[in-house]
Amino acid sequence: MTPEPHFVFDPALDLELRREVDVPPQLVWRAWTEPALLMKWFTPAPWRTTLCELDVRPGGGFRTVMEGPNGEKHDSTGCVLHVIPERLFVFTDALGPGFRPTGSAFMTGVISIEATAKGTLYTARALHKDPEAKKQHDDMGFHSGWGTALDQLVALVKGM
Amino acid sequence: MTPEPHFVFDPALDLELRREVDVPPQLVWRAWTEPALLMKWFTPAPWRTTLCELDVRPGGGFRTVMEGPNGEKHDSTGCVLHVIPERLFVFTDALGPGFRPTGSAFMTGVISIEATAKGTLYTARALHKDPEAKKQHDDMGFHSGWGTALDQLVALVKGM
């Protein structure tokens, strides 16, 4: 029996997107954890996710390749840290497959999903090492980017 | 139900100490996970572990302070990644409490404990990001250091 995980959230270091959406938590979970689905919503258009490798268990690899409209390419390798099916998905780029350090780290992502009367309370948190990394992520457009991606996720699962 | 974890081991990148010891796995586990016990064996003499904070659950903090005979001090903060009581303990310094990136990483430690007829098969692995980090750890005396610490652990639990 694995003990319950411990989480932190510090407004000086971290960012959060929290929104209730009118789709069921089971479909939000599938959209996050099935690579063929994730590729369809994960990156705000006109960027596209052109590759996703995801092994949904502690230590499992999580690699995405995102491509921009002018040929830009962002290849990111990370690691799944903690999984509670249909409730919680935690990953980081500080580690790669098998928990091996990558030697660099931008963030840890904590995705929480809770059933509500309307559908799902969706909370996505990004944890950073210092205020500079938080500001960089904020300046990159965390709120609009993750918000647009969530819009795309909701549209996707409504069509399923 | 949390899925089983995924592990890697690459001899080009990683180090391993594997030894059967004649003490029961339950006591090896306690020596690793109870700070008051860990402080008594964790650091090869004449170095001492003068502080240990350890929250044994995924995302829990793992801080140690080691002090040398000439006043050297090494303060290390890490994160517990995965726990299977009396079998598996995984931690890293790439993350701190709550899975927050630390911005630097030396290693991930994977401690496996298996019951045998004689006592315990003890396997300690250190995972590194590249061959240079492995060599640095090897040159620091991984095998003699972790081996001496294990001798100290065995002596400690035999007196319990």
Side-chain angles (χ1 to χ4, degrees):
Chain A
M1 175 89 197
T2 302
E4 282 292 298
H6 169 65
F7 293 109
V8 292
F9 184 80
D10 181 343
L13 299 173
D14 305 323
L15 292 165
E16 178 182 277
L17 173 76
R18 189 179 180 87
R19 194 200 300 173
E20 193 173 13
V21 291
D22 61 348
V23 291
Q26 294 79 7
L27 293 184
V28 176
W29 181 258
R30 286 188 55 198
W32 254 102
T33 56
E34 295 183 19
L37 295 178
L38 183 142
M39 289 174 68
K40 292 183 181 165
W41 68 265
F42 193 60
T43 316
W47 281 66
R48 295 170 306 134
T49 306
T50 55
L51 181 147
C52 174
E53 295 168 350
L54 174 53
D55 181 5
V56 186
R57 54 180 169 155
F62 183 20
R63 180 181 168 211
T64 54
V65 175
M66 303 183 224
E67 296 191 40
N70 302 309
E72 309 95 324
K73 202 165 179 173
H74 184 61
D75 191 335
S76 171
T77 289
C79 182
V80 176
L81 295 172
H82 203 80
V83 176
I84 303 177
E86 301 185 356
R87 273 187 49 207
L88 183 71
F89 180 64
V90 187
F91 61 96
T92 189
D93 61 356
L95 302 171
F99 301 114
R100 181 192 305 289
T102 55
S104 64
F106 181 57
M107 59 166 272
T108 292
V110 180
I111 311 300
S112 304
I113 294 169
E114 293 168 57
T116 62
K118 179 185 165 192
T120 301
L121 178 61
Y122 178 91
T123 308
R125 289 176 162 185
L127 310 182
H128 308 93
K129 68 176 189 291
D130 55 30
E132 292 69 35
K134 177 203 170 182
K135 183 175 186 308
Q136 184 192 347
H137 204 178
D138 213 357
D139 293 346
M140 284 165 62
F142 168 84
H143 287 98
S144 68
W146 287 47
T148 300
L150 179 57
D151 293 339
Q152 296 177 169
L153 183 157
V154 170
L156 172 69
V157 304
K158 282 187 175 174
M160 280 168 61
Chain B
M1 175 90 198
T2 301
E4 281 292 298
H6 169 65
F7 292 110
V8 293
F9 184 80
D10 181 342
L13 299 173
D14 306 323
L15 293 164
E16 178 182 277
L17 172 76
R18 190 178 179 88
R19 195 200 300 172
E20 192 172 12
V21 292
D22 61 348
V23 291
Q26 294 78 9
L27 293 184
V28 176
W29 181 258
R30 286 188 55 198
W32 254 103
T33 56
E34 295 181 18
L37 296 177
L38 184 141
M39 289 175 67
K40 292 182 179 165
W41 68 266
F42 193 60
T43 315
W47 281 65
R48 295 170 305 134
T49 305
T50 54
L51 180 148
C52 173
E53 295 168 349
L54 173 53
D55 181 7
V56 186
R57 54 179 169 154
F62 183 20
R63 179 180 169 212
T64 55
V65 174
M66 304 183 222
E67 295 190 41
N70 303 309
E72 310 93 325
K73 200 164 180 175
H74 183 61
D75 190 336
S76 171
T77 289
C79 182
V80 175
L81 294 172
H82 203 81
V83 177
I84 303 176
E86 298 184 359
R87 275 187 48 208
L88 184 71
F89 180 64
V90 187
F91 61 96
T92 190
D93 62 356
L95 302 171
F99 301 114
R100 183 192 304 288
T102 55
S104 64
F106 182 57
M107 59 167 272
T108 293
V110 180
I111 311 301
S112 304
I113 295 168
E114 294 169 55
T116 63
K118 181 184 165 194
T120 301
L121 179 60
Y122 178 91
T123 308
R125 289 176 162 184
L127 310 182
H128 308 92
K129 68 176 189 287
D130 55 31
E132 292 68 35
K134 177 203 171 181
K135 183 176 186 308
Q136 182 192 350
H137 203 177
D138 212 358
D139 293 346
M140 283 165 62
F142 169 84
H143 287 97
S144 69
W146 287 47
T148 299
L150 178 58
D151 293 340
Q152 295 177 171
L153 183 156
V154 169
L156 171 70
V157 303
K158 281 185 174 176
M160 280 167 59

